[in-house]
Amino acid sequence: MTVLDALQASLADEHAALYTYGVLGARTSQATSPALFETLTSGYRRHRARRDQLLLMVRDAGGEPVAAEVAYDLDGSLLRPPQLERAAADLEAASVEGLLALVAQSTGSVREWALTEATWSAVWRLQLGETAETWPGAPELDRA
């Protein structure tokens, strides 16, 4: 896998993350669940900034950015706040894995950026109520 391939894969992941956060946000209420609404909104904003950065990075690497899918398959039963938080936490776990694949394939500023973003997603999972992991993004290393 080349750096450009890893950037494109990360960009595709971000398209899916934005779609997912949009659906999760639409299934909550700022009036009845303001903390959850703000958490999901913050996650959406971070992923949008990440997607925008990846668009630039793909172009800088000489590629044509992969387009978003028209729609993504999501669980239709995600309606209650704990389910929404869990779905967002799962999304962040997937983000950590994808970004660490980019870390593995890159060097310099791209690697530094990907590691910063992977760290953010790992920490954001804690904000979403998950417990800390020894090796976030690499469950195969957690032998405990």
Side-chain angles (χ1 to χ4, degrees):
M1 175 182 280
T2 67
V3 174
L4 181 56
D5 292 336
L7 286 167
Q8 293 281 34
S10 293
L11 178 56
D13 289 347
E14 289 309 314
H15 289 315
L18 283 170
Y19 181 91
T20 302
Y21 264 113
V23 170
L24 297 178
R27 292 182 180 173
T28 190
S29 166
Q30 189 173 14
T32 60
S33 303
L36 176 58
F37 183 84
E38 181 56 38
T39 297
L40 294 175
T41 299
S42 294
Y44 177 86
R45 288 179 181 146
R46 182 66 178 235
H47 282 275
R48 185 178 59 204
R50 191 181 288 173
R51 187 255 347 248
D52 293 348
Q53 181 63 35
L54 281 162
L55 287 168
L56 295 172
M57 294 166 95
V58 166
R59 287 187 183 112
D60 287 347
E64 180 64 31
V66 64
E69 299 291 328
V70 174
Y72 295 86
D73 202 17
L74 298 178
D75 183 352
S77 67
L78 300 172
L79 299 174
R80 301 203 181 276
Q83 295 168 318
L84 298 172
E85 287 176 330
R86 180 64 191 181
D90 290 346
L91 187 150
E92 295 303 336
S95 288
V96 171
E97 288 186 41
L99 287 162
L100 290 180
L102 179 55
V103 168
Q105 295 299 320
S106 60
T107 60
S109 62
V110 172
R111 176 180 265 179
E112 183 178 334
W113 177 85
L115 185 56
T116 298
E117 292 303 314
T119 301
W120 184 89
S121 283
V123 171
W124 197 243
R125 288 186 72 239
L126 302 177
Q127 177 73 20
L128 292 162
E130 294 298 306
T131 57
E133 296 176 359
T134 305
W135 298 101
E140 70 277 6
L141 297 177
D142 190 10
R143 303 198 196 303

Coordinates of all heavy atoms in Angstrom, one line a residue, residues 64-129:
E64 N -6.4 12.1 -7.1 CA -7.8 12.7 -7.2 C -8.6 12.1 -6.0 O -8.8 10.9 -6.0 CB -8.4 12.3 -8.6 CG -9.8 12.8 -8.8 CD -9.9 14.3 -8.8 OE1 -8.9 15.0 -9.3 OE2 -10.9 14.9 -8.4
P65 N -9.0 13.0 -5.1 CA -9.7 12.5 -3.9 C -10.9 11.6 -4.2 O -11.7 11.8 -5.1 CB -10.2 13.7 -3.2 CG -9.2 14.8 -3.7 CD -8.9 14.4 -5.1
V66 N -11.0 10.5 -3.5 CA -12.1 9.5 -3.6 C -13.3 10.3 -3.2 O -13.3 11.0 -2.2 CB -11.8 8.3 -2.8 CG1 -11.7 8.6 -1.3 CG2 -12.9 7.2 -3.0
A67 N -14.4 10.0 -3.9 CA -15.7 10.7 -3.6 C -16.4 9.9 -2.5 O -16.2 8.7 -2.3 CB -16.6 10.7 -4.8
A68 N -17.3 10.6 -1.8 CA -18.2 10.0 -0.8 C -19.2 9.1 -1.5 O -19.6 9.4 -2.6 CB -18.9 11.0 0.0
E69 N -19.6 8.1 -0.8 CA -20.7 7.2 -1.3 C -22.0 8.0 -1.2 O -22.1 9.0 -0.4 CB -20.9 6.0 -0.5 CG -19.6 5.1 -0.5 CD -19.4 4.4 -1.8 OE1 -20.4 4.1 -2.5 OE2 -18.2 4.2 -2.2
V70 N -23.0 7.6 -1.9 CA -24.3 8.3 -1.9 C -24.9 8.1 -0.5 O -25.5 9.0 0.1 CB -25.3 7.8 -3.0 CG1 -26.7 8.3 -2.8 CG2 -24.7 8.1 -4.3
A71 N -24.8 6.9 0.1 CA -25.3 6.6 1.4 C -24.5 5.5 2.0 O -23.7 4.8 1.3 CB -26.8 6.1 1.3
Y72 N -24.6 5.3 3.3 CA -23.8 4.3 4.0 C -24.8 3.4 4.8 O -25.8 4.0 5.3 CB -22.8 4.9 4.9 CG -21.7 5.6 4.1 CD1 -21.8 6.9 3.8 CD2 -20.5 5.0 3.8 CE1 -20.9 7.6 3.0 CE2 -19.5 5.6 3.0 CZ -19.7 6.9 2.7 OH -18.8 7.6 1.9
D73 N -24.5 2.2 5.0 CA -25.4 1.3 5.7 C -25.3 1.5 7.2 O -24.2 1.3 7.7 CB -25.1 -0.2 5.3 CG -26.2 -1.1 5.5 OD1 -27.4 -0.7 5.7 OD2 -25.9 -2.3 5.6
L74 N -26.3 1.9 7.9 CA -26.3 2.1 9.3 C -27.4 1.3 10.0 O -28.4 1.0 9.4 CB -26.5 3.6 9.6 CG -25.4 4.5 9.1 CD1 -25.8 5.9 9.5 CD2 -24.1 4.2 9.7
D75 N -27.2 1.0 11.3 CA -28.2 0.3 12.1 C -29.4 1.3 12.3 O -29.3 2.3 12.9 CB -27.6 -0.1 13.4 CG -28.5 -0.9 14.3 OD1 -29.7 -1.0 13.9 OD2 -28.1 -1.4 15.3
G76 N -30.6 0.9 11.8 CA -31.8 1.7 12.0 C -32.3 1.8 13.4 O -33.2 2.6 13.7
S77 N -31.8 0.9 14.3 CA -32.4 0.9 15.7 C -31.6 1.8 16.6 O -31.9 1.9 17.8 CB -32.3 -0.5 16.2 OG -31.0 -0.9 16.4
L78 N -30.7 2.6 16.1 CA -30.0 3.6 16.9 C -30.8 4.8 17.3 O -30.8 5.8 16.6 CB -28.7 4.0 16.2 CG -27.7 2.9 15.8 CD1 -26.6 3.5 15.0 CD2 -27.1 2.3 17.1
L79 N -31.6 4.7 18.4 CA -32.5 5.7 18.7 C -32.3 6.3 20.1 O -32.7 7.4 20.4 CB -34.0 5.2 18.6 CG -34.3 4.8 17.1 CD1 -35.7 4.1 17.1 CD2 -34.3 5.9 16.2
R80 N -31.8 5.5 21.0 CA -31.6 6.0 22.4 C -30.2 6.5 22.6 O -29.3 6.1 22.0 CB -32.0 4.9 23.4 CG -33.4 4.4 23.2 CD -33.9 3.7 24.4 NE -35.2 3.2 24.3 CZ -36.3 3.9 24.4 NH1 -36.2 5.2 24.7 NH2 -37.5 3.3 24.3
P81 N -30.1 7.5 23.5 CA -28.7 8.1 23.8 C -27.6 7.1 24.0 O -26.5 7.2 23.4 CB -29.0 9.0 25.0 CG -30.4 9.4 24.8 CD -31.1 8.2 24.3
P82 N -27.8 6.0 24.8 CA -26.7 5.0 25.0 C -26.3 4.4 23.7 O -25.1 4.1 23.4 CB -27.2 4.0 26.0 CG -28.3 4.8 26.7 CD -28.9 5.7 25.7
Q83 N -27.3 4.1 22.8 CA -27.0 3.5 21.5 C -26.3 4.4 20.6 O -25.3 4.0 19.9 CB -28.3 3.0 20.8 CG -29.1 2.0 21.6 CD -30.5 1.8 21.0 OE1 -31.2 2.8 20.7 NE2 -30.9 0.5 20.8
L84 N -26.6 5.7 20.7 CA -26.0 6.7 19.8 C -24.5 6.9 20.3 O -23.6 7.0 19.4 CB -26.7 8.0 19.9 CG -28.2 8.0 19.4 CD1 -28.9 9.3 19.7 CD2 -28.2 7.7 17.9
E85 N -24.3 7.0 21.6 CA -23.0 7.1 22.1 C -22.1 5.9 21.7 O -20.9 6.0 21.3 CB -23.0 7.2 23.6 CG -23.5 8.6 24.1 CD -23.5 8.7 25.6 OE1 -23.8 7.7 26.3 OE2 -23.4 9.8 26.1
R86 N -22.7 4.7 21.8 CA -21.9 3.5 21.5 C -21.6 3.5 20.0 O -20.5 3.1 19.6 CB -22.8 2.3 21.8 CG -22.1 1.0 21.5 CD -20.9 0.8 22.3 NE -20.1 -0.4 21.8 CZ -19.0 -0.8 22.3 NH1 -18.5 -0.2 23.3 NH2 -18.4 -1.8 21.8
A87 N -22.5 3.9 19.1 CA -22.2 3.9 17.7 C -21.1 4.9 17.4 O -20.2 4.7 16.6 CB -23.5 4.3 16.9
A88 N -21.1 6.1 18.1 CA -20.1 7.1 17.9 C -18.7 6.5 18.4 O -17.7 6.7 17.7 CB -20.4 8.4 18.6
A89 N -18.8 5.8 19.5 CA -17.5 5.2 20.0 C -17.0 4.2 19.1 O -15.8 4.1 18.9 CB -17.8 4.6 21.4
D90 N -17.8 3.4 18.5 CA -17.4 2.4 17.5 C -16.8 3.0 16.3 O -15.8 2.6 15.8 CB -18.6 1.5 17.1 CG -19.0 0.6 18.2 OD1 -18.3 0.4 19.2 OD2 -20.2 0.0 18.1
L91 N -17.4 4.1 15.9 CA -16.9 4.9 14.8 C -15.5 5.4 15.1 O -14.6 5.3 14.2 CB -17.8 6.1 14.5 CG -17.6 6.8 13.2 CD1 -18.9 7.4 12.7 CD2 -16.6 8.0 13.5
E92 N -15.3 5.9 16.3 CA -14.0 6.4 16.7 C -12.9 5.3 16.7 O -11.8 5.4 16.4 CB -14.0 7.2 18.0 CG -14.8 8.4 17.9 CD -14.4 9.4 16.9 OE1 -13.2 9.4 16.4 OE2 -15.2 10.3 16.4
A93 N -13.4 4.1 17.2 CA -12.4 2.9 17.2 C -12.0 2.6 15.8 O -10.8 2.4 15.6 CB -13.1 1.7 17.9
A94 N -12.9 2.6 14.9 CA -12.6 2.4 13.5 C -11.7 3.4 12.9 O -10.7 3.2 12.2 CB -13.8 2.2 12.6
S95 N -11.9 4.7 13.3 CA -11.0 5.8 12.9 C -9.6 5.6 13.4 O -8.7 5.9 12.6 CB -11.6 7.1 13.4 OG -12.7 7.5 12.7
V96 N -9.5 5.2 14.6 CA -8.1 4.9 15.2 C -7.4 3.9 14.3 O -6.2 4.1 13.9 CB -8.2 4.5 16.6 CG1 -6.8 4.1 17.1 CG2 -8.7 5.6 17.5
E97 N -8.1 2.8 14.0 CA -7.4 1.8 13.2 C -7.0 2.3 11.8 O -5.9 2.0 11.4 CB -8.4 0.6 13.1 CG -8.5 -0.2 14.4 CD -9.3 -1.5 14.2 OE1 -9.2 -2.2 13.2 OE2 -10.1 -1.8 15.1
G98 N -7.9 3.0 11.2 CA -7.6 3.5 9.9 C -6.5 4.5 9.9 O -5.6 4.5 9.0
L99 N -6.5 5.4 10.8 CA -5.4 6.4 10.9 C -4.1 5.8 11.3 O -3.0 6.2 10.8 CB -5.8 7.5 11.9 CG -6.9 8.4 11.4 CD1 -7.5 9.2 12.6 CD2 -6.4 9.4 10.4
L100 N -4.1 4.7 12.1 CA -2.8 4.1 12.4 C -2.3 3.3 11.2 O -1.1 3.2 11.0 CB -3.0 3.1 13.6 CG -3.2 3.8 14.9 CD1 -3.3 2.8 16.0 CD2 -2.1 4.8 15.2
A101 N -3.1 2.9 10.3 CA -2.7 2.3 9.0 C -2.0 3.4 8.2 O -0.9 3.2 7.5 CB -3.8 1.7 8.2
L102 N -2.5 4.6 8.2 CA -1.8 5.8 7.6 C -0.5 6.1 8.2 O 0.5 6.4 7.5 CB -2.8 7.0 7.5 CG -2.2 8.3 6.9 CD1 -1.8 8.0 5.4 CD2 -3.3 9.4 6.9
V103 N -0.5 6.0 9.5 CA 0.8 6.3 10.3 C 1.8 5.3 9.8 O 3.0 5.6 9.5 CB 0.6 6.1 11.8 CG1 1.9 6.1 12.5 CG2 -0.2 7.3 12.3
A104 N 1.4 4.0 9.6 CA 2.4 2.9 9.2 C 2.9 3.2 7.8 O 4.0 2.7 7.5 CB 1.7 1.6 9.3
Q105 N 2.2 3.8 7.0 CA 2.6 4.0 5.6 C 3.2 5.3 5.3 O 3.7 5.5 4.2 CB 1.3 3.8 4.7 CG 0.8 2.4 4.7 CD 1.8 1.4 4.2 OE1 2.5 1.6 3.3 NE2 1.8 0.2 4.9
S106 N 3.3 6.2 6.2 CA 3.7 7.6 5.9 C 4.9 8.0 6.8 O 5.4 7.3 7.6 CB 2.5 8.5 6.2 OG 2.1 8.5 7.5
T107 N 5.4 9.2 6.4 CA 6.5 9.8 7.2 C 6.2 11.2 7.4 O 5.3 11.8 6.8 CB 7.8 9.6 6.4 OG1 7.7 10.3 5.1 CG2 8.2 8.1 6.2
G108 N 7.1 11.9 8.1 CA 7.1 13.3 8.3 C 5.7 13.9 8.7 O 5.1 13.4 9.6
S109 N 5.3 15.0 8.1 CA 4.1 15.7 8.5 C 2.9 14.9 8.4 O 1.9 15.0 9.2 CB 4.0 17.0 7.8 OG 3.9 16.8 6.4
V110 N 2.8 14.0 7.4 CA 1.6 13.2 7.2 C 1.5 12.2 8.4 O 0.4 12.1 9.0 CB 1.6 12.4 5.9 CG1 0.5 11.4 5.8 CG2 1.6 13.4 4.7
R111 N 2.6 11.6 8.7 CA 2.6 10.7 9.9 C 2.2 11.4 11.2 O 1.4 10.9 12.0 CB 3.9 10.0 10.0 CG 4.0 9.1 11.2 CD 5.3 8.4 11.3 NE 5.2 7.1 10.7 CZ 6.2 6.3 10.6 NH1 7.4 6.5 11.0 NH2 5.9 5.1 10.0
E112 N 2.8 12.6 11.4 CA 2.6 13.3 12.6 C 1.1 13.7 12.7 O 0.4 13.6 13.7 CB 3.4 14.6 12.6 CG 3.3 15.4 13.8 CD 4.2 16.6 13.8 OE1 5.2 16.6 13.2 OE2 3.8 17.6 14.5
W113 N 0.5 14.2 11.5 CA -0.9 14.5 11.5 C -1.8 13.3 11.8 O -2.7 13.4 12.6 CB -1.3 15.1 10.1 CG -2.7 15.4 10.0 CD1 -3.3 16.6 10.4 CD2 -3.7 14.6 9.5 NE1 -4.7 16.5 10.1 CE2 -4.9 15.3 9.6 CE3 -3.7 13.3 8.9 CZ2 -6.2 14.8 9.2 CZ3 -5.0 12.8 8.5 CH2 -6.1 13.5 8.6
A114 N -1.5 12.2 11.2 CA -2.3 11.0 11.4 C -2.2 10.5 12.8 O -3.2 10.1 13.4 CB -1.9 9.9 10.4
L115 N -1.1 10.6 13.4 CA -0.9 10.1 14.8 C -1.7 11.1 15.7 O -2.4 10.6 16.7 CB 0.6 10.1 15.2 CG 0.9 9.6 16.6 CD1 0.3 8.2 16.8 CD2 2.3 9.5 16.8
T116 N -1.6 12.4 15.5 CA -2.4 13.3 16.3 C -3.9 13.0 16.2 O -4.6 13.0 17.2 CB -2.1 14.8 15.8 OG1 -0.8 15.1 16.0 CG2 -3.0 15.8 16.5
E117 N -4.4 12.7 15.0 CA -5.8 12.5 14.8 C -6.2 11.1 15.4 O -7.3 11.0 15.9 CB -6.2 12.5 13.3 CG -6.1 13.9 12.7 CD -6.9 14.9 13.4 OE1 -8.1 14.6 13.7 OE2 -6.4 16.0 13.7
A118 N -5.3 10.1 15.3 CA -5.6 8.8 15.9 C -5.7 9.0 17.4 O -6.6 8.4 18.1 CB -4.5 7.8 15.5
T119 N -4.8 9.8 18.0 CA -4.8 10.0 19.4 C -6.1 10.7 19.8 O -6.8 10.4 20.8 CB -3.6 10.9 19.8 OG1 -2.4 10.2 19.5 CG2 -3.6 11.2 21.3
W120 N -6.6 11.7 19.0 CA -7.8 12.4 19.3 C -9.0 11.4 19.3 O -9.8 11.5 20.2 CB -8.1 13.5 18.3 CG -9.3 14.3 18.6 CD1 -9.4 15.4 19.4 CD2 -10.7 14.0 18.2 NE1 -10.7 15.8 19.5 CE2 -11.5 15.0 18.8 CE3 -11.2 13.0 17.4 CZ2 -12.9 15.0 18.6 CZ3 -12.6 13.0 17.3 CH2 -13.4 14.0 17.9
S121 N -9.1 10.6 18.3 CA -10.2 9.6 18.3 C -10.1 8.6 19.4 O -11.2 8.3 20.0 CB -10.2 8.9 16.9 OG -10.7 9.7 15.9
A122 N -8.9 8.2 19.8 CA -8.8 7.3 21.0 C -9.3 8.0 22.2 O -10.0 7.4 23.1 CB -7.4 6.8 21.1
V123 N -8.9 9.2 22.4 CA -9.4 10.0 23.6 C -10.8 10.3 23.5 O -11.6 10.2 24.5 CB -8.5 11.3 23.8 CG1 -9.1 12.2 24.9 CG2 -7.1 10.9 24.1
W124 N -11.3 10.6 22.3 CA -12.8 10.9 22.2 C -13.6 9.7 22.6 O -14.7 9.9 23.1 CB -13.0 11.4 20.7 CG -14.3 12.1 20.6 CD1 -15.4 11.7 19.9 CD2 -14.7 13.3 21.2 NE1 -16.4 12.6 20.0 CE2 -16.0 13.6 20.8 CE3 -14.1 14.2 22.0 CZ2 -16.7 14.8 21.2 CZ3 -14.7 15.4 22.4 CH2 -16.0 15.6 22.0
R125 N -13.2 8.5 22.3 CA -13.9 7.3 22.8 C -14.1 7.4 24.3 O -15.2 7.0 24.7 CB -13.1 6.1 22.4 CG -13.1 5.8 20.9 CD -12.5 4.4 20.6 NE -13.4 3.3 21.0 CZ -13.1 2.4 21.9 NH1 -11.9 2.3 22.5 NH2 -14.0 1.5 22.2
L126 N -13.2 7.9 25.0 CA -13.3 8.0 26.5 C -14.4 9.0 26.8 O -15.2 8.8 27.7 CB -12.0 8.4 27.1 CG -10.8 7.5 26.9 CD1 -9.6 8.0 27.6 CD2 -11.2 6.1 27.4
Q127 N -14.5 10.1 26.0 CA -15.5 11.1 26.2 C -16.9 10.5 25.9 O -17.9 10.9 26.5 CB -15.3 12.3 25.2 CG -16.3 13.4 25.2 CD -16.3 14.3 26.4 OE1 -15.2 14.3 27.1 NE2 -17.3 14.9 26.7
L128 N -16.9 9.5 25.1 CA -18.2 8.9 24.7 C -18.5 7.7 25.7 O -19.4 6.9 25.4 CB -18.1 8.3 23.3 CG -18.1 9.4 22.2 CD1 -17.6 8.9 20.9 CD2 -19.4 10.1 22.1
G129 N -17.8 7.6 26.8 CA -18.1 6.6 27.8 C -17.4 5.3 27.7 O -17.6 4.4 28.5

